[in-house]
Amino acid sequence: MNNKIIYFFLVLLLLSCSKNEITTDTLQTYITQKSHLAKDEVIACAASDKNNTDVSYIFYYPILGATNIQYFETESVNSDKNDFTLYNKVSLEKEDVFNGYLQRFVRESKNEVWSIVTYESNNKLHISNPIRLKNSSKPTEWSTSVSIDTSTPLMPKFSWGDGKVKENAIYFQVVTNSDNDLLSGTYTYDKWFQYYKTGNVVLNVTRDNPPILIKNKEYHFTMMGVSEDNWVNLVIQKQFIGK
């Protein structure tokens, strides 16, 4: 095999590297390049797949007009989560959640790391808090165990327990219609939420006034129990009928 053929195959090998391969771009480099932008936050967390713990989903809330959405991660969980020079940009597939109201990166790896999501909007650079992936050590529990109190017409109250891992710091609740359109998205410190009362809501990502539920119509409830390091310990999904 002559040198030209060897060179040709080496080029092919380099071009065929996985789209998930870590680049040399670090989060700190990116932040420095965007130093002229004001800083803001990204609401984000991560969970492992229901059936395959090698797959993790990094969920984030993209505000309207978000652009240049990127994902960064460290080499391991032993890295300093606050040192942005240790986060490398990784190209991952993105998927819509709740018909695009939320989105998520799809990551396939056993390796546990710290991760961060960024995007730009309205002359701001949005950066999430570090997210600790625990897909191997504490895989997400997926459940249907939720109590639904329908004693107040068309204003169901959802109550739940913590599941196997008792490390949840906050709870994210979503109510969707049968087409998977998000009607409300709220966070509480309490293990209950009533549609649509916001007395115990500490963070609200609902953009429009939620519609009044319709009797005998199908709806869906989703709850994520999130730890302080933004790992989702528990996901509850339950269909219910307006009453």
Side-chain angles (χ1 to χ4, degrees), residues 91-192:
S91 177
L92 296 179
E93 178 186 355
K94 291 198 295 285
E95 296 179 341
D96 285 343
V97 182
F98 305 127
N99 292 330
Y101 203 101
L102 302 182
Q103 292 181 325
R104 67 187 185 188
F105 288 102
V106 182
R107 178 183 186 270
E108 187 168 0
S109 174
K110 294 180 182 295
N111 189 33
E112 296 188 348
V113 298
W114 289 97
S115 63
I116 285 178
V117 176
T118 69
Y119 59 71
E120 298 173 39
S121 176
N122 299 321
N123 293 316
K124 291 182 179 181
L125 174 60
H126 298 254
I127 306 170
S128 75
N129 288 326
I131 305 165
R132 166 69 153 90
L133 300 192
K134 303 177 185 176
N135 48 293
S136 294
S137 58
K138 292 182 180 178
T140 303
E141 177 185 357
W142 293 73
S143 173
T144 59
S145 297
V146 58
S147 173
I148 305 178
D149 180 354
T150 59
S151 58
T152 302
L154 302 178
M155 298 181 68
K157 180 179 179 180
F158 307 92
S159 304
W160 56 87
D162 264 335
K164 297 174 182 177
V165 178
K166 316 295 184 184
E167 297 178 358
N168 298 316
I170 198 167
Y171 305 90
F172 177 45
Q173 311 92 34
V174 172
V175 175
T176 57
N177 60 20
S178 58
D179 294 324
N180 205 33
D181 298 318
L182 187 145
L183 305 183
S184 76
T186 52
Y187 286 81
T188 67
Y189 293 134
D190 299 317
K191 293 191 276 286
W192 64 268

